[in-house]
């Protein structure tokens, strides 16, 4: 399990039954980042802390799920729990943590680029990466744009890698 996932689960397990119910209701109305959808109300209200954590992470990825959870907790007046969650989940992003391994091991760079085109990469950036001769060179070029990326862009890259190379991502997460 990831650091953020564990931190979200810990925060949600600390809530009373009534607080968890209130959390779910507030989650239905909190403003979401562009590109993210709401969890279905019917399914959401039936979930316990473990199921809700899994759903948050699968829909929003770990970093944004932790940020969203902390936002809702603060909205509920639970500043201390939100602060604990944020502190526990501030491990480096997957893309930063495994940069070197990704440069060496990603084999389907074009599939990743296609997923990022128009979302995290401009036409010019897309073409610059495609112009590189080898996969490691393409990944290095792709990572050269990363310092200007926000968390959403990094999450998009992670999702693209999960979609195109799930076994690599799984292997790195377990290491």
């Amino acid at each position: 399990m990831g650091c953020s996932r564990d931190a979200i689960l810990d925060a949600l397990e600390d809530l009373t039954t009534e607080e968890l119910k209130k959390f779910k209701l507030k989650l239905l109305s909190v403003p979401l980042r562009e590109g993210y959808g709401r969890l279905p109300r019917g399914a959401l209200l039936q979930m316990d802390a473990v199921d809700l954590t899994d759903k948050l992470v699968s829909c929003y990825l770990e970093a944004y799920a932790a940020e969203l959870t902390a936002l809702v907790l603060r909205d509920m007046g639970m500043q201390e729990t939100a602060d604990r969650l944020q502190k526990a989940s501030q491990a480096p992003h997957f893309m930063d943590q495994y940069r070197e391994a990704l440069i060496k091991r990603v084999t389907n760079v074009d599939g990743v680029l296609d997923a990022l085109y128009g979302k995290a990469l401009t036409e010019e950036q897309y073409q610059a990466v495609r112009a590189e001769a080898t996969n490691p060179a393409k990944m290095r070029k792709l990572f050269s744009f990363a310092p200007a990326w926000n968390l959403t862009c990094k999450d998009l890259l992670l999702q693209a890698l999960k979609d195109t190379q799930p076994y690599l991502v799984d292997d790195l997460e377990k290491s």
Side-chain angles (χ1 to χ4, degrees):
M1 260 203 230
C3 186
S4 293
R5 178 187 298 262
D6 290 340
I8 294 167
L9 181 58
D10 289 345
L12 294 179
E13 285 181 330
D14 279 348
L15 301 178
T16 66
T17 304
E18 285 304 310
E19 289 169 339
L20 185 60
K21 184 177 180 180
K22 184 177 179 182
F23 177 89
K24 292 182 223 178
L25 290 173
K26 288 199 172 279
L27 186 61
L28 291 169
S29 62
V30 71
L32 299 175
R33 284 186 192 163
E34 187 176 331
Y36 289 98
R38 276 219 194 274
L39 298 176
R41 180 186 170 105
L44 177 67
L45 296 177
Q46 305 301 319
M47 293 180 192
D48 63 8
V50 175
D51 293 335
L52 181 55
T53 300
D54 287 342
K55 191 67 166 175
L56 286 167
V57 171
S58 69
C59 289
Y60 302 121
L61 301 178
E62 284 194 34
Y64 185 49
E67 182 182 322
L68 194 58
T69 301
L71 179 69
V72 173
L73 289 168
R74 280 193 180 86
D75 192 39
M76 293 171 58
M78 303 185 80
Q79 183 69 34
E80 188 178 312
T81 306
D83 289 345
R84 251 192 342 264
L85 168 60
Q86 280 197 306
K87 190 173 187 172
S89 65
Q90 288 186 344
H93 193 279
F94 181 90
M95 307 316 314
D96 300 320
Q97 186 174 357
Y98 297 108
R99 181 183 189 277
E100 184 179 345
L102 291 169
I103 288 171
K104 290 178 184 175
R105 296 177 60 190
V106 171
T107 57
N108 182 9
V109 180
D110 289 341
V112 172
L113 292 175
D114 291 342
L116 296 176
Y117 179 72
K119 297 174 186 164
L121 292 177
T122 65
E123 172 72 24
E124 185 179 312
Q125 292 169 328
Y126 177 86
Q127 293 301 333
V129 175
R130 294 274 329 258
E132 296 295 330
T134 65
N135 284 327
K138 288 179 182 182
M139 287 303 293
R140 270 191 210 89
K141 188 67 167 181
L142 180 60
F143 273 110
S144 74
F145 302 120
W149 287 356
N150 61 15
L151 195 55
T152 302
C153 293
K154 289 181 179 184
D155 285 347
L156 287 170
L157 175 53
L158 175 57
Q159 189 60 53
L161 287 167
K162 284 181 175 182
D163 293 343
T164 60
Q165 307 208 143
Y167 300 111
L168 171 60
V169 173
D170 188 51
D171 184 51
L172 292 174
E173 285 179 334
K174 290 179 181 175
S175 66

